[in-house]
Amino acid sequence: MKKQLLSIIILCFPLILQAQFYDANWVSGSRYGNITYANNLISYNSLPYIISSFNGKVGINSGNITFSDKKGALLFYSNGFSIVNKELNLMENGDSLSWSGLAQFSYSNGSGCFICLIGLPDSNSDSTIYLIREYMDTSSFFGLTFPKVLYSIIDSKKNNGLGQVSSKNNLLWTGVSIQELSACQHGIS
């Protein structure tokens, strides 16, 4: 009897689970100066996957992030220098992130680092998201440097759900960086 009950619980367990779809949409493409090349929005919310093309407002190079809500609806994407809302327009106060000499050079193309952006939802709010990124600059002696890590706070419910950057370019950490960021949730909540 115990084995049958355990089998039923194991078979029904996936039916009561609810996944989070923060990464259900991806933005890809490239831009060089004022020329945009094939920007795509890929949605993994259903089968078959939906791929749609659009005229990007900012360049997407190797370092970018796309963030969706728990249900998989696109909230924003960023190239490390700008944040674009779900209607593919610049988010309010979403410009001039990580501004430096390097940013002025590559603003329209996007960040050149590979894993330098992370979006983390606030566990105490269903609308606050932290965008953490490495600040890139150039040094005449060392070349490309990543001397600090910055964060911005995004309220995804502001402006009728189009979002607003409520605080940007806040210093999180300073020191030597290796151009890769990662995060994991702590086991205690």
Side-chain angles (χ1 to χ4, degrees), residues 27-37 39 56-65 77-84 97-117 133-134 136 144 146 179:
V27 172
S28 67
S30 63
R31 180 177 170 141
Y32 187 76
N34 292 328
I35 302 171
T36 301
Y37 303 99
N39 284 322
K57 305 293 185 202
V58 299
I60 298 294
N61 199 348
S62 52
N64 64 72
I65 184 171
Y77 74 90
S78 175
N79 66 355
F81 304 126
S82 300
I83 301 174
V84 176
L97 302 178
S98 304
W99 206 249
S100 66
L102 180 62
Q104 293 177 24
F105 171 73
S106 58
Y107 178 77
S108 64
N109 303 325
S111 173
C113 67
F114 295 104
I115 309 171
C116 61
L117 296 166
R133 67 203 173 281
E134 291 185 312
M136 297 180 297
L144 188 62
F146 301 89
Q179 190 182 336

Side-chain angles (χ1 to χ4, degrees), residues 52-160:
S52 55
S53 296
F54 66 95
N55 184 9
K57 305 293 185 202
V58 299
I60 298 294
N61 199 348
S62 52
N64 64 72
I65 184 171
T66 307
F67 202 88
S68 304
D69 65 15
K70 288 181 184 180
K71 296 179 181 176
L74 178 66
L75 294 176
F76 67 86
Y77 74 90
S78 175
N79 66 355
F81 304 126
S82 300
I83 301 174
V84 176
N85 65 29
K86 64 185 173 185
E87 291 186 352
L88 309 177
N89 294 311
L90 189 66
M91 185 179 284
E92 182 180 335
N93 201 25
D95 60 341
S96 305
L97 302 178
S98 304
W99 206 249
S100 66
L102 180 62
Q104 293 177 24
F105 171 73
S106 58
Y107 178 77
S108 64
N109 303 325
S111 173
C113 67
F114 295 104
I115 309 171
C116 61
L117 296 166
I118 299 175
L120 299 174
D122 187 330
S123 60
N124 297 317
S125 169
D126 62 350
S127 63
T128 302
I129 302 157
Y130 295 93
L131 180 64
I132 301 169
R133 67 203 173 281
E134 291 185 312
Y135 174 88
M136 297 180 297
D137 208 349
T138 55
S139 167
S140 58
F141 184 73
F142 293 108
L144 188 62
T145 61
F146 301 89
K148 52 189 163 183
V149 176
L150 304 174
Y151 72 95
S152 295
I153 302 171
I154 300 167
D155 186 335
S156 63
K157 290 190 176 178
K158 293 280 186 166
N159 295 321
N160 296 318

